[in-house]
Amino acid sequence: MCCAGCAAVAKAIVDNGLQDYYLHRSQMPNTAEQLVPEALRELGLYDHPEVQKSFVQQQGELREASLILEGITCAACIWLNERHLMQLPGVVHVSVNYASHRARVRWDENQIKLSQILAEISKIGYHAHPFSAQQQEALRQQQRKIDIRRLAVAGLSAGQVMMIAGPLYGGETQGLEFASAQLLRWFSLLMTLPAIIYSALPFYQGAWRSWQQRHIGMDVPIVIGLVAAFIGSLWATWVGHGNVYYDTITMLIFFLLGTRFLERNAREKSIQAAENLLRLTPAVATRIEQDGSRQLVAVAELSVGDILFIKPGETIAADGKVCQGESSVDESLLTGESLPIAKQVADDVYAGSVNYQSPIQIKISALAEDTMLAGISRLLDRAQAEKPKIAKTADQVAAYFSCLVLILVLMTGLAWWWVDASQVLPVLLTILVVACPCALSLAAPAAFAATGSHLVKRGILLTRGHVLETLAKVNHVVLDKTGTLTQGKIQLMQTQVLATTTAMDCLQIAVSLEQSSEHPLAKAFHPKLIQQAILSCQHIQNIPGQGVVGEIQGRRYYLGNQALHHHLAQQFPSQHAAQTTASYTQIWLSDERQLLACFYLADQLRDDALDLVQVLQQQGIRVSILSGDANATVQAYAQQLGVSDWKAACSPQAKLDYLKQRQQMGEVVAMIGDGINDAPVLAGAQISIAMGGGTQMARVSADAVLLSERLMEIQHAIQHSRFALRVIRQNFAWALCYNALVLPIAALGLMTPWMAAIGMSVSSLVVVLNALRLR
């Protein structure tokens, strides 16, 4: 049996002696597969691993998908989808980005399938499908056309009805006969129908979803007002006396739709930089086949390990390593770095960057959801989905405010019923419209979206929702040394010859010995440093903590610290007694008889490290350095930077203890680091920033990522976050003052409904336009 239902039916047939049914039937009944609706069968395709490859990331049994949600009209839609999906068994996390309508859903594959999640979204009136930047843009253009069409219908209706409203307002005092007035009323009704039925449809849909979930959204009071005004006007038209509000209804719909259209455009502008990231990856790429031929294929058909041919001016389709050729690559949209970066064999390149100069070949290391571009997108979504405290407070206030408005409507209606029953409908309609808490709900999200977009342009990726609030309060910045203040690349600064050989000969020997070493210091001895060929080495031996030993042309050489050269201890000059002098690390080269040379290695400070420290100190922000390096090295760097508070030889636990100590003293500490050993410290800080070139663990633990690695952007982020909070407070002040001012005016009957529509529209636009200053 295909299912328990069929088994139960078959058993009932047999138990009741009806087996002849099988003899007499003239055709087979529908199979279970035929009974499945076509829409659900299509959703089932999304459970296939090959289909999921392009938009689902797998983390053990957990899966995470990036989806587009169609039908989102306001913040209440976000709340509804998140709440409904989180109630499903197996769904671990749901976050919907209001600005981009993009959802990220994480679920347990053992408990629920993606097709079931998509079906549940359909049940509450929305449509979800896998995210594609191109498809999202197409849907956005389609939605814009629909919005313009609705707006045009509402505008035409409002214009016609307003012309007719003039004579109706004059009435008998202007000589208008009853029959003419009735004709005008019926014509107004006819002109209002397209607006109330077609243009106002988004408001009905939003209110219906809110009603289904027992939640009072922003569309509920609007729909109540529209329906009440229309029914009242329809009754007055039918009986032939009383006031009609067709002009108010059409103008209200027109203004509300116009506001939402402008708001949507502003919102899309605010996230433009972030959305541009997702449009970087091309749809096709040139793959080099095994026979050496080049084939243009869809990116979805690529696999890890494939070789791609990238022409000059072409966008790279996947993460990988250069395996042939040299060129320069523009990574400005990924990192904010304006200048092209030189790339050669074995260098990493990333999806979305543009090849500039020469053709190169790359070997794919990551595709689709595993690329750096997808990782940045996930972090952006996480930051925008995690609401800061100030935004959560605004949402709570807006929810309570909507309930209070309905109570106020009821009380005001009862009061006006006793004073002047003819004014009940216009007063209630005015209150319902004017008190819509759109501005209050937009105050924080609009500002955060604009700020996030601006900082991404500058190469700063915010990954947590609380970053702006906390960053604005920072009064102590703690910096790691290696890879943060310094470039993280050990370089050869000087060669001191101690024997009769030349400096270039000594360097040739050192470079040849270090080719087999994986030690970080070995990278300083790059083959490019020498003009001669690398020498052949035999019997290479890496000695942990000391260096490397090997034979070249039958002669034994030693390259490492002083401990490696114990057989020549008496030859070391007294001034070189310490292994580390100031900020230099010394590496010695010797044979079995004498010292040959001393190489001075150093990790250079970043160009803007000193500028950052000075600017922060001028702003009254305390600066500290925590490092695991030796005491003398850290001290030398601290003196160069003018930092008096520094600690050397710090373990990760020691760094974390220091942070907790400063936090207990009431300081708001920002930690900036890049290594695996910085991950626990980054997680423990109130605000943490990881360098973009740091380890994956550091980036995951951090609240923000400095993609450009320009340190001065940290100071800009602090400054801009303070600006963002000022804008948010201005938005809140405006929204609250507006509602506090107009509600009493509306309740006293001193404002008409069309005035309320303009006021509510202007209030929302002021908030959005003020937030756009953050771009």
Side-chain angles (χ1 to χ4, degrees):
M1 295 294 175
C2 61
C3 66
C6 290
V9 172
K11 187 174 186 300
I13 290 173
V14 175
D15 289 348
N16 289 283
L18 303 173
Q19 293 93 326
D20 285 353
Y21 159 78
Y22 295 109
L23 298 175
H24 298 302
R25 66 181 177 191
S26 57
Q27 65 180 37
M28 295 292 287
N30 288 334
T31 63
E33 184 180 353
Q34 291 170 326
L35 293 171
V36 177
E38 183 63 28
L40 290 181
R41 187 179 297 116
E42 289 178 4
L43 292 180
L45 294 174
Y46 290 127
D47 293 332
H48 198 281
E50 285 299 313
V51 177
Q52 291 187 359
K53 188 170 68 172
S54 63
F55 68 97
V56 174
Q57 186 186 35
Q58 189 169 349
Q59 305 163 347
E61 292 301 325
L62 293 182
R63 308 281 175 89
E64 183 177 299
S66 179
L67 307 171
I68 300 176
L69 279 185
E70 293 183 49
I72 299 291
T73 58
C74 66
C77 299
I78 306 296
W79 177 89
L80 175 61
N81 277 276
E82 290 179 346
R83 181 177 177 183
H84 180 67
L85 293 182
M86 283 303 293
Q87 293 173 345
L88 302 177
V91 175
V92 178
H93 175 75
V94 181
S95 63
V96 183
N97 187 320
Y98 176 49
S100 63
H101 298 176
R102 192 167 65 253
R104 287 204 177 270
V105 184
R106 193 179 306 130
W107 71 95
D108 187 339
E109 186 71 10
N110 292 329
Q111 297 185 51
I112 192 169
K113 300 294 182 185
L114 178 58
S115 59
Q116 295 172 276
I117 296 173
L118 298 178
E120 288 294 330
I121 293 173
S122 299
K123 282 182 183 177
I124 56 174
Y126 299 88
H127 180 55
H129 48 81
F131 174 79
S132 158
Q134 290 76 18
Q135 190 175 7
Q136 185 189 41
E137 183 60 26
L139 286 172
R140 194 172 281 167
Q141 293 299 332
Q142 181 184 350
Q143 184 62 48
R144 183 168 297 179
K145 289 177 183 177
I146 294 173
D147 290 344
I148 292 173
R149 202 176 300 135
R150 292 190 197 280
L151 189 61
V153 170
L156 288 171
S157 295
Q160 298 300 316
V161 174
M162 286 297 288
M163 283 194 296
I164 298 169
L168 285 175
Y169 281 132
E172 293 181 1
T173 58
Q174 299 295 324
L176 183 68
E177 297 181 354
F178 174 78
S180 299
Q182 274 298 92
L183 180 64
L184 291 177
R185 285 194 182 98
W186 281 103
F187 189 72
S188 295
L189 170 62
L190 186 64
M191 289 293 99
T192 303
L193 287 176
I196 196 76
I197 294 173
Y198 174 70
S199 296
L201 186 60
F203 305 123
Y204 305 142
Q205 293 170 334
W208 175 246
R209 292 175 192 131
S210 297
W211 175 259
Q212 284 181 313
Q213 294 294 317
R214 305 292 186 266
H215 173 70
I216 299 175
M218 297 176 197
D219 288 327
V220 172
I222 291 173
V223 168
I224 291 174
L226 287 175
V227 171
F230 183 73
I231 291 174
S233 301
L234 188 63
W235 175 254
T237 303
W238 181 260
V239 298
H241 63 83
N243 294 324
V244 292
Y245 303 100
Y246 297 124
D247 55 333
T248 300
I249 293 169
T250 52
M251 288 296 287
L252 177 59
I253 294 171
F254 177 70
F255 281 127
L256 289 175
L257 289 176
T259 303
R260 288 196 175 181
F261 181 74
L262 293 174
E263 177 209 323
R264 176 173 292 170
N265 286 346
R267 194 173 66 234
E268 288 173 1
K269 282 184 180 178
S270 72
I271 61 164
Q272 196 171 40
E275 288 294 297
N276 283 343
L277 286 174
L278 302 170
R279 302 193 189 107
L280 294 178
T281 309
V284 294
T286 305
R287 182 173 62 192
I288 298 179
E289 305 294 342
Q290 292 183 349
D291 59 1
S293 61
R294 298 173 190 170
Q295 184 74 30
L296 194 66
V297 297
V299 170
E301 297 178 24
L302 298 175
S303 302
V304 173
D306 284 352
I307 305 295
L308 297 183
F309 180 79
I310 313 295
K311 292 179 287 189
E314 199 168 71
T315 302
I316 298 173
D319 289 0
K321 285 185 179 292
V322 179
C323 57
Q324 186 176 319
E326 292 184 4
S327 186
S328 58
V329 172
D330 180 9
E331 297 178 353
S332 57
L333 286 175
L334 287 171
T335 66
E337 177 60 56
S338 56
L339 296 175
I341 300 169
K343 299 289 182 181
Q344 57 188 6
V345 173
D347 283 349
D348 291 316
V349 291
Y350 303 104
S353 52
V354 180
N355 181 27
Y356 253 33
Q357 292 177 329
S358 310
I360 55 173
Q361 294 182 18
I362 68 166
K363 186 174 183 180
I364 296 177
S365 59
L367 283 162
E369 286 295 298
D370 296 323
T371 62
M372 177 184 174
L373 190 64
I376 291 175
S377 172
R378 281 194 296 274
L379 292 175
L380 272 172
D381 286 344
R382 185 175 75 178
Q384 293 174 359
E386 292 181 358
K387 290 186 178 179
K389 291 180 182 177
I390 195 168
K392 290 178 181 177
T393 303
D395 286 348
Q396 291 170 355
V397 170
Y400 289 124
F401 188 77
S402 296
C403 296
L404 288 172
V405 166
L406 294 182
I407 295 171
L408 178 64
V409 165
L410 183 62
M411 294 171 61
T412 307
L414 292 173
W416 275 99
W417 186 265
W418 292 103
V419 176
D420 183 359
S422 65
Q423 292 297 310
V424 171
L425 196 58
V427 169
L428 296 190
L429 178 58
T430 303
I431 294 174
L432 286 168
V433 173
V434 84
C436 179
C438 294
L440 192 60
S441 292
L442 285 171
F448 282 119
T451 303
S453 181
H454 168 77
L455 291 178
V456 163
K457 285 182 183 176
R458 299 287 297 249
I460 305 167
L461 176 65
L462 307 183
T463 69
R464 296 288 183 188
H466 71 87
V467 173
L468 286 179
E469 278 183 288
T470 313
L471 200 56
K473 302 172 185 174
V474 164
N475 54 24
H476 188 173
V477 172
V478 176
L479 297 152
D480 177 46
K481 182 187 74 67
T482 306
T484 303
L485 287 171
T486 66
Q487 296 175 1
K489 299 175 182 177
I490 302 293
Q491 296 179 339
L492 177 63
M493 307 303 296
Q494 181 184 347
T495 302
Q496 181 182 5
V497 179
L498 302 174
T500 56
T501 55
T502 65
M504 189 54 68
D505 288 340
C506 292
L507 195 54
Q508 184 184 24
I509 294 169
V511 169
S512 302
L513 288 170
E514 290 288 21
Q515 292 311 297
S516 61
S517 175
E518 295 295 328
H519 194 278
L521 293 179
K523 296 178 181 177
F525 296 94
H526 197 278
K528 284 187 175 181
L529 294 175
I530 59 174
Q531 295 160 356
Q532 306 101 318
I534 295 174
L535 302 173
S536 176
C537 302
Q538 292 83 32
H539 309 297
I540 292 290
Q541 183 181 3
N542 286 298
I543 302 174
Q546 295 186 20
V548 62
V549 179
E551 289 185 10
I552 297 176
Q553 297 174 352
R555 191 173 174 184
R556 194 166 182 82
Y557 290 98
Y558 302 80
L559 181 68
N561 58 28
Q562 191 171 342
L564 182 66
H565 306 273
H566 55 85
H567 60 293
L568 300 172
Q570 71 282 359
Q571 294 188 22
F572 281 92
S574 57
Q575 66 266 32
H576 297 306
Q579 178 185 347
T580 306
T581 302
S583 56
Y584 292 105
T585 298
Q586 294 168 295
I587 300 296
W588 303 86
L589 175 67
S590 73
D591 57 17
E592 292 181 329
R593 295 178 298 170
Q594 60 179 341
L595 290 173
L596 300 175
C598 179
F599 301 102
Y600 293 85
L601 309 181
D603 187 2
Q604 288 188 313
L605 282 172
R606 294 184 187 272
D607 295 336
D608 53 355
L610 181 59
D611 293 336
L612 173 68
V613 171
Q614 290 177 343
V615 170
L616 292 177
Q617 289 174 340
Q618 288 169 5
Q619 293 178 351
I621 297 174
R622 182 175 180 173
V623 179
S624 302
I625 298 175
L626 299 183
S627 177
D629 280 1
N631 193 76
T633 304
V634 180
Q635 183 180 15
Y637 283 111
Q639 288 175 349
Q640 289 182 56
L641 295 169
V643 176
S644 56
D645 183 20
W646 56 271
K647 292 185 179 298
C650 289
S651 65
Q653 186 59 48
K655 292 181 181 180
L656 191 56
D657 291 342
Y658 177 84
L659 252 65
K660 288 180 179 178
Q661 179 187 355
R662 305 311 304 188
Q663 289 167 353
Q664 288 170 2
M665 295 170 65
E667 294 183 355
V668 180
V669 183
M671 174 69 194
I672 304 164
D674 78 321
I676 291 176
N677 62 333
D678 291 324
V681 197
L682 291 170
Q686 285 138 311
I687 181 81
S688 54
I689 303 174
M691 304 300 288
T695 63
Q696 178 69 22
M697 191 178 295
R699 292 197 295 270
V700 170
S701 304
D703 301 311
V705 180
L706 187 62
L707 296 172
S708 67
E709 301 201 6
R710 293 192 299 268
L711 291 177
M712 283 301 292
E713 297 301 340
I714 295 170
Q715 182 271 336
H716 177 78
I718 294 174
Q719 190 176 11
H720 202 74
S721 64
R722 292 173 178 172
F723 178 35
L725 284 191
R726 286 199 302 272
V727 168
I728 290 169
R729 292 190 187 103
Q730 291 166 6
N731 284 350
F732 279 140
W734 165 260
L736 292 172
C737 289
Y738 162 78
N739 282 297
L741 180 67
V742 299
L743 270 176
I745 296 174
L748 291 171
L750 302 176
M751 181 183 291
T752 61
W754 66 267
M755 291 179 185
I758 294 175
M760 192 274 289
S761 303
V762 170
S763 175
S764 297
L765 279 177
V766 166
V767 165
V768 174
L769 293 174
N770 190 39
L772 282 181
R773 292 194 299 137
L774 291 163
R775 294 181 67 227

